[in-house]
Every structure is written in structure tokens, then in C-alpha cells.
């Protein structure tokens, strides 16, 4: 497997590399300077070369079009390891974690608090195929992509709510979910975002409002004291580390499925 990383990673790289090795394969890491997709090499050329050496490609890229182009031009399966638009492997691991802790994903209430980013888009796409109650509480101006929200609503499978007040919607949550306020490629906006996201920190008060059955989840890496308090991420109801572990188990299943094994 070739693993193309245009962005930094710990979980995605190590879970894919270790997981593929456990399945009997060999993974090759290609960092940002190796291919320089779109600069040194066109994406469609990288796709057509790599598939002549490898049985599968995994890629973490900036623009979503890059993953679509890799999939279009490669003759082997291409797995999305995160784009600016979505992060499907993360949400597959999250679903597995919810099934392990709550007993099911169907019918649960998942309340995401923060930026309407690629994680939210993948949650919305999951809500298009599995019935549950998904709520995204984000500041005004940081809502998820309208078309993706519409697609999830049109699927008519799940209850979808987009709101600007986490306190109003958190009660009865099975999961309260958080992510960094400034993702990769937005670090220059970090100070501005910290201001804009005031009131969207997941703290002990919000978890109390959620109720006694609520678990806390975060895709990591986390900035303690920013989007989540130290007390919440270290609480017994925090399942962020089983969640991180499940990246590998979920991806192993994805790789076996993609390879038809
Ligand atoms: N959650 C996640 O994708 O982590 P990495 O950026 O470390 O891969």
C-alpha cells in the first residue's frame, strides 16, 4: 500500500501502517515532500504510477478533488485518509466506538460541538445511511456545507439539527463530540477562531447538561483548555483513547473490504 500524506498525522499514519502489517501487507509512507502532488507531479500521474506497484492507495490530501482524481485514475482501491471536505475513516472508527460503548449507533443522539468541518460532513454522510439523531452546534458562520446538510436531510433516515447553541440541544446526548477549532491549514486563523468559538468549549457544565449517560468523544489531537477542558477529556466518561484505537480496527475492515478479501 502506498500512503500519501500531504498533511501531518499520527493516528492515521500509524494505524494504517500497523494495521496493514497485521493483515500481512507492507505500507510505504510518502510524506509531503516525496510526491508534492500538484506541484512536482500531477495527481493523475501519481495515481497511474502507484497502482502499478501497489494493490491499494491511502491518501491524506488538502483538496477533496485530489482524492477523487486519485480514485478516478488509479486501477486499485483508494482510501480517503482525510481531505478538507471529509474524514470517513474517522467516522467509521467513531461508529464502532459508539457501538462498543452504547450498544448501537441506530437511535442514538450524537451532539457535535464546534466547527462545521470535515468531521461534521462525514457524520452527516453517515446519517444519510444509518438512522440516528445528529446535532451540530457551531458558531454562526461556521456551519457545515449546505449541500451535505441537504443531502443528509433528503435521505430522510436520520434527524439532523444544525444550531448555534450547544446548551439548548445537548440534553439527552449519548455522545458529546468535539474537535479542534483550527484544523490543519487554518493555524493562522487560530486567534480569530478562539474568539469566534467562545461558548463552544465542552466543559463539565455542558457534560452535566447532557446527562449521566453521555460519553465524550474527540478525534484528536486535542487542545486542552481550548475546545475541551482537562477535566472532561480525562473524565471516566471520556472514550477518546478507545476511539483512537478503533481507527486501526475499522480501517483494517475497510482495507479487507476494498481488497475483496
Ligand atoms: N484523528 C486523526 O486523523 O488524527 P491524525 O491527524 O493524527 O492522523
Amino acid at each position: 500500500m502506498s500512503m500519501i500524506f500531504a498533511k501531518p498525522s499520527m493516528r492515521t499514519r500509524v494505524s494504517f501502517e500497523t494495521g496493514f502489517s497485521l493483515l500481512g501487507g507492507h505500507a510505504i509512507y510518502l510524506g509531503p515532500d516525496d510526491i508534492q502532488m500538484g506541484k512536482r507531479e500531477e495527481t493523475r500521474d501519481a495515481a497511474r504510477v502507484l497502482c502499478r506497484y501497489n494493490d491499494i492507495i491511502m491518501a491524506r490530501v488538502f483538496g477533496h478533488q485530489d482524492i477523487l482524481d486519485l480514485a478516478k485514475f488509479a486501477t486499485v482501491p483508494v482510501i480517503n485518509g482525510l481531505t478538507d471536505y471529509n474524514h470517513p475513516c474517522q467516522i467509521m472508527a467513531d461508529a464502532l466506538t459508539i457501538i462498543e460503548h452504547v450498544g448501537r449507533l441506530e437511535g442514538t443522539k450524537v451532539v457535535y460541538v464546534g466547527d462545521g468541518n470535515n468531521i461534521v460532513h462525514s457524520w452527516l454522510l453517515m446519517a444519510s445511511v444509518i438512522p440516528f439523531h445528529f446535532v451540530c452546534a457551531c458558531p454562526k458562520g461556521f456551519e457545515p456545507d449546505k449541500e451535505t446538510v441537504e443531502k443528509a436531510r433528503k435521505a430522510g433516515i436520520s434527524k439532523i439539527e444544525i444550531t448555534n447553541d450547544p446548551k439548548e440541544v445537548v440534553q439527552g446526548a449519548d455522545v458529546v463530540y468535539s474537535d479542534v477549532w483550527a484544523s490543519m491549514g487554518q493555524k493562522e486563523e487560530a486567534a480569530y477562531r478562539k474568539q469566534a468559538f467562545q461558548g463552544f468549549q465542552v466543559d463539565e457544565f455542558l457534560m452535566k447538561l447532557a446527562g449521566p449517560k453521555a460519553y465524550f468523544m474527540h478525534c484528536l489531537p486535542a487542545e486542552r483548555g481550548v475546545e475541551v477542558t482537562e477535566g472532561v477529556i480525562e473524565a471516566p466518561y471520556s472514550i477518546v483513547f478507545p476511539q483512537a484505537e478503533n481507527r486501526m480496527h475499522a480501517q483494517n475492515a475497510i482495507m479487507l473490504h476494498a481488497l475483496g478479501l
Side-chain angles (χ1 to χ4, degrees):
M1 171 168 65
S2 33
M3 305 194 302
I4 302 169
F5 280 91
K7 298 183 178 198
S9 167
M10 179 173 76
R11 274 147 294 274
T12 305
R13 177 181 175 179
V14 178
S15 58
F16 266 107
E17 192 164 333
T18 307
F20 200 53
S21 163
L22 289 172
L23 296 178
H26 173 67
I28 301 160
Y29 173 75
L30 296 157
D33 291 334
D34 290 320
I35 299 186
Q36 300 175 35
M37 253 175 13
K39 287 186 196 144
R40 182 172 176 270
E41 183 110 31
E42 286 197 24
T43 306
R44 57 187 171 159
D45 291 349
R48 286 178 289 184
V49 171
L50 290 174
C51 66
R52 285 165 187 265
Y53 306 134
N54 300 136
D55 298 302
I56 189 163
I57 297 169
M58 191 282 296
R60 165 168 288 195
V61 293
F62 284 91
H64 194 66
Q65 191 58 46
D66 280 339
I67 204 87
L68 299 179
D69 287 345
L70 283 171
K72 182 175 171 188
F73 289 98
T75 55
V76 300
V78 174
I79 297 179
N80 178 348
L82 177 147
T83 72
D84 287 346
Y85 172 64
N86 67 358
H87 196 359
C89 291
Q90 180 67 57
I91 268 49
M92 292 294 278
D94 298 346
L96 173 59
T97 311
I98 293 172
I99 291 165
E100 282 179 349
H101 286 81
V102 179
R104 68 201 189 288
L105 175 60
E106 287 89 343
T108 58
K109 180 176 181 183
V110 177
V111 179
Y112 174 97
V113 181
D115 188 18
N117 61 13
N118 49 5
I119 293 287
V120 176
H121 298 150
S122 282
W123 269 121
L124 287 165
L125 295 170
M126 179 68 92
S128 308
V129 289
I130 304 234
F132 62 101
H133 182 180
F134 179 68
V135 186
C136 171
C138 54
K140 277 197 170 66
F142 293 90
E143 286 87 358
D145 172 59
K146 277 198 179 85
E147 271 181 36
T148 310
V149 175
E150 212 40 49
K151 184 177 172 173
R153 286 196 169 128
K154 267 200 182 137
I157 288 171
S158 296
K159 182 174 176 187
I160 310 287
E161 285 184 275
I162 311 294
T163 168
N164 303 122
D165 186 353
K167 293 184 192 74
E168 253 183 14
V169 290
V170 79
Q171 197 186 3
D174 293 284
V175 168
V176 180
Y177 195 116
S178 174
D179 189 9
V180 288
W181 290 344
S183 298
M184 288 170 266
Q186 298 170 332
K187 293 301 171 193
E188 70 288 350
E189 292 176 27
Y192 157 70
R193 281 175 169 259
K194 249 184 205 172
Q195 274 302 114
F197 282 72
Q198 287 310 304
F200 288 82
Q201 184 187 65
V202 178
D203 58 13
E204 288 81 345
F205 177 69
L206 195 70
M207 291 304 294
K208 205 170 172 195
L209 279 183
K213 67 173 180 175
Y215 288 104
F216 174 72
M217 295 180 76
H218 191 303
C219 49
L220 303 177
E223 262 199 275
R224 288 165 161 82
V226 181
E227 76 273 7
V228 60
T229 60
E230 168 81 9
V232 167
I233 199 166
E234 295 296 341
Y237 53 69
S238 167
I239 51 174
V240 299
F241 297 113
Q243 179 186 1
E245 178 186 329
N246 278 337
R247 287 294 303 278
M248 188 170 75
H249 305 309
Q251 288 159 193
N252 284 0
I254 292 166
M255 288 190 285
L256 288 174
H257 177 76
L259 290 165
L261 297 171

